[in-house]
């Protein structure tokens, strides 16, 4: 069974791989034997990630790309094929909250909404399409892994981000349906509260502990805990798994308390009633 988790000889692209969850998944894939093209917009971050992977005995290359650009995504995948000979695994992890603001829904700007969609949803389409094009041409199948968010399954005042993340889940199911006959599996990882890096000081550690109290396992997740899940989904151990949503949140969606971004107007009366 453990042999099925090995990725020796396979080549992967990890977007948003310069830091946080992306770097953790890139490191895990490399540790399992994959050649990894680590991609992000910031050169220094991808260089650091690649250096870390190489120090631990893995094979990785750095690549800068803005995943909101279809042309840059195509060039990124072409670079993986050129350097490693193929692309077997695409981890479309890059994303973000986009333009920050606390506008009422009826005043939310067009450009802010478009930016969030481009960063989180259109980018997944570009990555999946570019990777699938090579995978189908090669005829040996492949794996595409998208990264969504637990906010996709809850209401939230920052509605553009969960809207885009919810779209990723729907996109994943449609991609799996369309690409299954080509031997390409597509799944989506849905993290809950997960720390992007070690706490920088005691205050940050205390904040994380407070957040963890809302979750059934009584802690928030650690960035490196996404690595094993990514390896499983990329490997032959999950060869019959596609179109699925893998929630990794310590039971938060099952029985935790999720912030909505506002306090109900009559919360005090409700707490004191009955």
């Amino acid at each position: 069974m453990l042999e099925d988790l090995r990725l020796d000889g396979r080549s992967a692209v990890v977007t948003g791989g310069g830091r946080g969850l992306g770097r953790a998944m890139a490191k895990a894939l490399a540790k399992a034997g994959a050649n990894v093209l680590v991609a992000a917009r910031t050169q220094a971050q991808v260089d650091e990630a690649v250096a870390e992977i190489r120090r631990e005995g893995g094979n990785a290359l750095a690549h800068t790309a803005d995943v909101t650009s279809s042309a840059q995504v195509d060039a990124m995948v072409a670079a993986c094929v050129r350097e490693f000979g193929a692309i077997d695994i695409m981890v479309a992890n890059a994303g973000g909250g986009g333009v920050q603001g606390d506008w009422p829904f009826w005043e939310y700007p067009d450009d802010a909404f478009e930016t969030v969609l481009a960063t989180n949803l259109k980018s997944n389409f570009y990555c999946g399409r570019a990777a699938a094009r090579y995978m189908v041409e090669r005829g040996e199948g492949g794996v595409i892994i998208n990264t969504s968010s637990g906010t996709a399954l809850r209401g939230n005042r920052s509605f553009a981000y969960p809207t885009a993340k919810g779209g990723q889940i729907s996109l994943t199911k449609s991609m799996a349906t369309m690409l299954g006959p080509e031997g390409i599996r597509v799944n989506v990882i849905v993290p809950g509260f997960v720390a992007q890096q070690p706490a920088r000081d005691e205050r940050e550690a205390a904040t994380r502990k407070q957040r963890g109290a809302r979750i059934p396992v009584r802690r928030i997740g650690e960035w490196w805990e996404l690595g094993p899940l990514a390896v499983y989904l990329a490997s032959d151990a999950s060869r019959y798994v596609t179109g699925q949503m893998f929630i990794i949140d310590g039971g938060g969606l099952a029985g935790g308390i999720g912030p909505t971004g506002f306090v109900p107007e009559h919360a005090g009366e409700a707490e004191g009633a009955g």
Side-chain angles (χ1 to χ4, degrees):
M1 182 188 69
L2 294 179
E3 285 300 312
D4 284 342
L5 290 166
R6 293 297 306 171
L7 301 173
D8 300 295
R10 301 184 195 183
S11 300
V13 170
V14 180
T15 69
R19 60 189 176 91
L21 309 185
R23 183 184 291 199
M25 290 189 282
K27 288 177 60 180
L29 294 175
K31 191 172 183 179
N35 306 308
V36 183
L37 187 81
V38 183
R41 289 182 299 180
T42 306
Q43 184 72 56
Q45 291 180 353
V46 290
D47 286 343
E48 290 172 6
V50 166
E52 190 173 353
I53 289 170
R54 289 176 176 173
R55 282 196 300 270
E56 296 179 4
N59 185 30
L61 292 173
H63 186 89
T64 56
D66 180 350
V67 294
T68 66
S69 164
S70 174
Q72 290 192 39
V73 169
D74 288 345
M76 174 184 70
V77 172
C80 179
V81 174
R82 182 176 62 252
E83 297 295 336
F84 296 137
I87 178 170
D88 303 289
I89 303 157
M90 165 61 78
V91 181
N93 168 74
V99 179
Q100 299 300 312
D102 192 25
W103 301 283
F105 178 80
W106 54 93
E107 294 180 0
Y108 202 87
D110 291 355
D111 59 347
F113 191 62
E114 287 294 334
T115 297
V116 176
L117 289 182
T119 304
N120 296 281
L121 182 54
K122 290 181 181 179
S123 63
N124 272 215
F125 163 63
Y126 296 152
C127 288
R129 181 180 61 180
R133 187 180 295 127
Y134 279 96
M135 292 173 180
V136 170
E137 181 180 348
R138 188 181 180 207
E140 296 184 16
V143 173
I144 298 171
I145 302 170
N146 294 320
T147 304
S148 183
S149 165
T151 60
L153 304 174
R154 294 184 184 274
N156 194 291
R157 278 185 65 88
S158 302
F159 78 99
Y161 181 73
T163 297
K165 290 297 185 180
Q168 288 179 343
I169 295 171
S170 181
L171 176 65
T172 295
K173 293 178 181 294
S174 294
M175 288 171 62
T177 301
M178 297 176 72
L179 297 175
E182 306 294 340
I184 300 171
R185 298 187 294 104
V186 190
N187 293 290
V188 58
I189 296 174
V190 183
F193 282 133
V194 178
Q196 298 282 331
Q197 59 188 6
R200 289 167 290 190
D201 50 43
E202 291 184 4
R203 182 177 180 179
E204 186 172 340
T207 300
R208 292 181 182 183
K209 185 176 181 180
Q210 185 179 28
R211 281 190 171 188
R214 301 176 175 141
I215 301 170
V217 299
R218 295 297 186 267
R219 66 174 179 87
I220 65 172
E222 302 286 352
W223 65 99
W224 54 265
E225 291 180 295
L226 269 74
L229 179 54
V231 170
Y232 166 71
L233 292 175
S235 73
D236 289 342
S238 61
R239 62 172 63 89
Y240 196 55
V241 178
T242 192
Q244 301 305 308
M245 174 175 62
F246 284 78
I247 300 171
I248 177 167
D249 72 346
L253 284 166
I257 301 173
T260 57
F262 67 94
V263 177
E265 291 182 11
H266 303 293
E269 291 91 330
E271 289 176 3

